[in-house]
Each structure stands twice: as structure tokens, then as C-alpha cells.
Amino acid sequence: YGDLHVEVAVSSHPIFSRKNNDVYCEIPITFIQAALGSNVTVPTLDGKAEYHIPEGTQPGDIFRLKNKGIPFINGRGSRGDQLVKVIIEIPRYIDDEQRNLLKKFESISGPKNYQKKKSFIDKIKKFFSNW
């Protein structure tokens, strides 16, 4: 006789977050892996999965792992997706040899490699030319 009240508390997970049936996580990669492309191991709800990060990956890019999310209720096997956000880690400390190699790389890189920077500079030029 009477009502049964059930209270459920869901604690946060250190790796995964959830929105509906999709699961989200962030993975750190080096800027070399982002520039050259790399195979990485991604944690999933089912264990580990291999994923190929494509060459030229940018900070904050999000990749979708189909059917690696939460199962749909009465979904007969279908699941949400896992979305993996790439966090590109820049080295904090570099030695003289690394510094010289990076400077050489910068000197031989053209603006085609830095579209956001070029776009930003073009916007600034346009803004000040209108004054």
C-alpha cells in the first residue's frame, strides 16, 4: 500500500560523459601525431579500440566511433555513438636541437598550412582598411 520512491544518483566518470545515448571523451595526442597522422588507442565502454587520426588533425577536432555509445532501450542492438575530441598537447620544454628543427620547419612552411591564421590576418587587414 502506498508509493515507492526510488532515487538514483549517477556519479561522473573520469573519462566518459554522456548526452542521450552518445558517449563523449577526450584523448590527448602530440602535435606530431596530429600533423603526420597516427593510430591511437581509444577507450570505449567495451574496452579499447584502435582509431586512425588523419594527417592534419586540428585541436578540438571530433571523431565519431559508430555504435560505441549507450544501447537504446528496446533498440534491438542499436547503440549511440562515441565522440572523441582531440586535445593536442604541445611540448612545454624543448632543447636547442628541437628548437632549431622547429624554426627550420616554420621557415619552410607556407601560409597554406595555416588557414586560420591567414584568415585572421585577412580580417584584420580588412578591418583596418575600412578606417
Side-chain angles (χ1 to χ4, degrees):
Y1 304 99
D3 296 333
L4 172 64
H5 296 273
V6 178
E7 186 174 316
V8 177
V10 178
S11 59
S12 62
H13 192 275
I15 297 173
F16 302 111
S17 61
R18 175 182 178 178
K19 183 174 182 183
N20 299 322
N21 287 67
D22 291 334
V23 173
Y24 295 80
C25 76
E26 295 179 345
I27 60 166
I29 63 172
T30 68
F31 77 104
I32 301 299
Q33 288 175 302
L36 300 179
S38 178
N39 290 326
V40 296
T41 301
V42 178
T44 71
L45 298 177
D46 299 324
K48 298 175 183 176
E50 290 296 315
Y51 187 79
H52 179 73
I53 301 291
E55 183 176 304
T57 294
Q58 298 297 304
D61 280 358
I62 297 174
F63 300 102
R64 181 179 301 273
L65 303 177
K66 297 293 268 177
N67 298 315
K68 293 290 186 181
I70 305 295
F72 288 97
I73 295 175
N74 300 324
R76 298 190 185 121
S78 76
R79 299 173 71 163
D81 297 332
Q82 179 170 333
L83 292 106
V84 180
K85 183 177 181 180
V86 173
I87 306 299
I88 299 176
E89 191 168 11
I90 307 298
R92 290 190 180 274
Y93 309 103
I94 56 175
D95 61 26
D96 289 339
E97 181 182 8
Q98 293 166 325
R99 183 175 288 104
N100 291 333
L101 288 170
L102 288 171
K103 285 180 179 180
K104 182 175 181 179
F105 176 79
E106 179 70 19
S107 71
I108 61 175
S109 295
K112 67 179 173 141
N113 288 320
Y114 303 103
Q115 293 299 315
K116 288 183 182 178
K117 181 179 178 181
K118 182 182 181 315
S119 173
F120 179 71
I121 291 170
D122 290 344
K123 288 176 187 176
I124 290 173
K125 286 179 183 177
K126 183 177 179 182
F127 175 77
F128 284 114
S129 70
N130 290 333
W131 278 45

